[in-house]
Amino acid sequence: MQKPLPELPVTFTSQGHQIVGMHHKSRGERLVILCHGFTGSKTEARRLFVEAGRAFAAEGLDALRFDFYGSGDSAGEFCDSLISLYIANLRDAIAWARGSGFARIAVVGHSMGGATAILTLPETPVDALVTWSAVPDMHKTFESYISNLDEVARQADEYVHEGWVIKRTFWEDAMTHDVLAALGHLTIPKLFIQGMADAPVFIQGFESFRDVVQPPADFMEIPAASHTYTLPAHRHQAIRQSLIWLKRTL
């Protein structure tokens, strides 16, 4: 049996807070940073990111998966999280990668992690970007889950969504970020993967990316795949296609 590759806990500081991650070690030359979705963590649903990190490392790409502020093992409370903090966290993860000697860096973001990557990379460039079912528009996405979003954001100091407490400050911050506008400034190679059994807001957003994106950009649909790639075959397809693209691009 082949000896497992090392997986080492790492920490770094972002905005004065401890951020916790896991480094899947491989050749130490190229690194993929994995950004989880809203209410997610560095493992992601059904260990999607664990599978991805191990698959990438087995093929020669180091991987770092980390918890945003207020998520998983990182410092802070979820109710105090902000998109602006997620952006700062990713910038500091990239700084950690550069300080660790990686010459080539890519970011893979799922859902809100994909949106966070798009919002971060125009000012903090890396070498490639992959998104899985990225949030395309803050207002439209949250409105698809909370029908009276504007009223809630205006009147309530906090709102409980699927057991998670979301403060008004989160809404106010989120609505200042324009994912499509940021995407239009990205000139690095990009791969967008979308499950076609996802909610309409994500599928429509995936199509809207085609209208604003600069080349080079590739688009891939996974028929019948859900937002979190529930079935093993769909998870494996998203990971494998990303890996093939990253090995060619990074």
Side-chain angles (χ1 to χ4, degrees):
M1 181 180 294
Q2 186 176 3
K3 184 179 179 181
L5 292 169
E7 299 176 7
L8 303 178
V10 300
T11 62
F12 57 90
T13 301
S14 181
Q15 303 289 292
H17 305 292
Q18 179 174 271
I19 301 300
V20 179
M22 182 68 73
H23 178 194
H24 296 259
K25 298 194 73 173
S26 188
R27 297 175 186 169
E29 300 166 351
R30 298 176 291 175
L31 177 74
V32 181
I33 300 174
L34 296 121
C35 298
H36 66 78
F38 191 62
T39 74
S41 72
K42 63 182 176 294
T43 60
E44 273 296 15
R46 301 165 195 85
R47 303 185 87 202
L48 172 64
F49 275 9
V50 179
E51 287 186 40
R54 290 174 178 172
F56 294 162
E59 295 282 343
L61 303 177
D62 284 57
L64 171 69
R65 50 188 177 86
F66 71 94
D67 295 316
F68 285 117
Y69 174 85
S71 297
D73 295 310
S74 287
E77 300 298 328
F78 179 81
C79 62
D80 295 321
S81 62
L82 302 169
I83 304 300
S84 294
L85 281 175
Y86 297 163
I87 292 170
N89 295 164
L90 178 52
R91 285 177 177 156
D92 290 319
I94 294 169
W96 175 90
R98 298 205 186 284
S100 299
F102 289 99
R104 302 280 289 176
I105 301 168
V107 176
V108 173
H110 173 238
S111 192
M112 187 64 78
T116 299
I118 291 170
L119 292 165
T120 304
L121 299 186
E123 300 297 329
T124 310
V126 294
D127 301 290
L129 168 67
V130 179
T131 69
W132 297 345
S133 305
V135 168
D137 180 282
M138 295 296 175
H139 190 277
K140 289 180 180 178
T141 300
F142 285 108
E143 190 177 46
S144 71
Y145 294 108
I146 305 169
S147 58
N148 58 337
L149 173 64
D150 290 330
E151 182 179 349
V152 168
R154 185 172 58 254
Q155 296 185 5
D157 289 331
E158 61 182 41
Y159 178 80
V160 178
H161 175 63
E162 296 182 351
W164 297 93
V165 177
I166 304 173
K167 290 183 178 179
R168 181 188 297 169
T169 50
F170 177 86
W171 304 120
E172 292 172 344
D173 177 73
M175 299 312 158
T176 67
H177 296 289
D178 189 329
V179 178
L180 288 178
L183 178 59
H185 293 291
L186 280 181
T187 58
I188 60 173
K190 299 163 285 291
L191 170 63
F192 304 95
I193 295 179
Q194 178 61 52
M196 300 311 286
D198 203 346
V201 66
F202 291 98
I203 296 174
Q204 292 163 8
F206 175 71
E207 295 300 329
S208 71
F209 286 171
R210 299 181 192 268
D211 298 329
V212 301
V213 72
Q214 293 192 53
D218 296 296
F219 290 80
M220 177 183 170
E221 301 176 4
I222 302 183
S226 70
H227 185 68
T228 57
Y229 304 90
T230 306
L231 297 181
H234 295 152
R235 294 197 296 276
H236 296 163
Q237 188 174 359
I239 292 168
R240 188 64 191 169
Q241 293 301 319
S242 298
L243 177 56
I244 292 170
W245 186 88
L246 285 165
K247 288 179 68 177
R248 183 178 71 243
T249 305
L250 193 57

